[in-house]
Amino acid sequence: MSLYAATHAENANAAPPSGCATISATSEETTAKGLIYHDLAVSSPNGVTSLHVKKLVFSGLAPNADATQDLAQAASLLLVSAMTGQHNAACTQWLKAQGQLVVTGLQSGKAYDLTWNNATVVHGSAHVSVTTAHYQMQGSSTAQTSAATLNMSGLTFQNVANQQLLPSNARAAFSLPTTELPALMSAIGGQSEAAPAVHATISNFEASEGHARLQGHGQATLTGNVAATSASGHLEITNLEELIEKARAAHQMKLAAGLVLGRLVSHHSGEQNTWDTTWEGGVLTVNGFPLPIK
């Protein structure tokens, strides 16, 4: 092992900085399935944002037991950051170090598998609960690219805007250059604006609530700077009318009007409304119609 690699591994092999998050569990065990945490808790320094997981099962390559614990904790920190949109610069370097460990494993063909059971995210008065969240990342399918899936089932919301329209189940399958993973991790949980661009290909995205279902695929260049972020893709909604009626029933008239406008510029086939979209420079183009977003 080179001096750089040894030093990097040593830096990665540490609990997150106190200014990043507090992470604890009532118990942990190592089994044939991997590392299991019971009653895992992640809390921001100010206590405003937190995650509680009844049971977390993690399996994947790590150089030692401490590194395995760190990767499981980093993944849980990223889960709460992704669901709340909260970034903390104190997490940046630690997450980059964890990301580099993951890259090493992926490039050797290993895979990572995490299951969070009965998880609750709290941000202020808002609560989001999920019965099961399952994340898998496969070893590099080529020398440069890794594929991943994220499945979330049993989603419920409390004190969240437009919660009546949010999905109860969601799934995403995507791929990205393996070496860009540390930048993505630091962008999600750390100093997002300092992160370089990450190029993701979404092969499939699905979200459903009742009889309404959203599906899509596309590509995105993700950065911490919204103005420098771009994306293009194809979206389909089945039973859009159900979403419009739910928005009206919740007295969300602006949202209902927006959905009606979206329906007007959509292509219609049976119960499906479809859109080809691009996002660049703060302008959303839907089926050829530019819609500046401010």
Side-chain angles (χ1 to χ4, degrees):
M1 180 182 290
S2 68
L3 177 62
Y4 170 79
T7 303
H8 197 87
E10 181 179 352
N11 290 338
N13 233 4
S18 58
C20 169
T22 300
I23 303 178
S24 63
T26 58
S27 65
E28 63 181 78
E29 56 182 309
T30 302
T31 70
K33 292 183 177 180
L35 176 66
I36 298 178
Y37 276 122
H38 296 278
D39 292 311
L40 177 71
V42 180
S43 180
S44 63
N46 60 11
V48 173
T49 305
S50 65
L51 165 71
H52 179 265
V53 182
K54 190 65 177 177
K55 182 180 180 181
L56 166 63
V57 180
F58 169 83
S59 62
L61 176 71
N64 53 53
D66 288 341
T68 300
Q69 293 174 348
D70 289 345
L71 290 178
Q73 293 180 10
S76 298
L77 175 61
L78 292 174
L79 179 66
V80 67
S81 296
M83 294 182 72
T84 62
Q86 301 301 300
H87 310 284
N88 184 345
C91 302
T92 301
Q93 294 304 319
W94 182 72
L95 287 172
K96 282 184 177 179
Q98 305 312 313
Q100 190 55 53
L101 287 179
V102 175
V103 169
T104 301
L106 292 172
Q107 289 179 333
S108 67
K110 302 300 181 181
Y112 294 89
D113 192 298
L114 297 102
T115 301
W116 294 268
N117 291 305
N118 297 315
T120 300
V121 175
V122 177
H123 180 63
S125 62
H127 291 64
V128 180
S129 296
V130 57
T131 302
T132 303
H134 185 205
Y135 179 77
Q136 290 181 305
M137 194 161 204
Q138 304 298 321
S140 300
S141 56
T142 67
Q144 295 84 26
T145 305
S146 294
T149 59
L150 174 63
N151 288 276
M152 305 184 80
S153 61
L155 283 160
T156 59
F157 306 88
Q158 182 179 353
N159 297 325
V160 175
N162 302 317
Q163 62 190 43
Q164 297 91 341
L165 281 74
L166 296 178
S168 55
N169 299 283
R171 180 182 186 275
F174 60 94
S175 61
L176 73 163
T178 306
T179 56
E180 292 182 355
L181 185 61
L184 179 62
M185 291 174 64
S186 66
I188 293 172
Q191 187 59 48
S192 59
E193 291 188 5
V198 176
H199 305 85
T201 299
I202 301 105
S203 56
N204 186 48
F205 171 78
E206 299 177 17
S208 61
E209 171 54 35
H211 296 293
R213 185 173 75 252
L214 168 69
Q215 293 178 286
H217 56 82
Q219 295 179 321
T221 300
L222 309 173
T223 74
N225 181 353
V226 175
T229 297
S230 61
S232 63
H234 178 79
L235 295 176
E236 300 178 0
I237 294 183
T238 303
N239 292 320
L240 176 59
E241 294 300 325
E242 181 175 317
L243 293 181
I244 294 173
E245 290 306 314
K246 284 188 175 183
R248 288 171 175 163
H251 304 292
Q252 299 291 332
M253 304 315 293
K254 287 185 178 180
L255 177 59
L259 292 172
V260 170
L261 288 174
R263 181 181 60 188
L264 290 175
V265 298
S266 72
H267 299 303
H268 191 263
S269 175
E271 294 183 339
Q272 289 186 335
N273 294 82
T274 67
W275 300 264
D276 291 306
T277 64
T278 61
W279 165 269
E280 189 169 5
V283 177
L284 176 66
T285 301
V286 180
N287 287 344
F289 292 88
L291 304 172
I293 305 295
K294 295 183 179 180

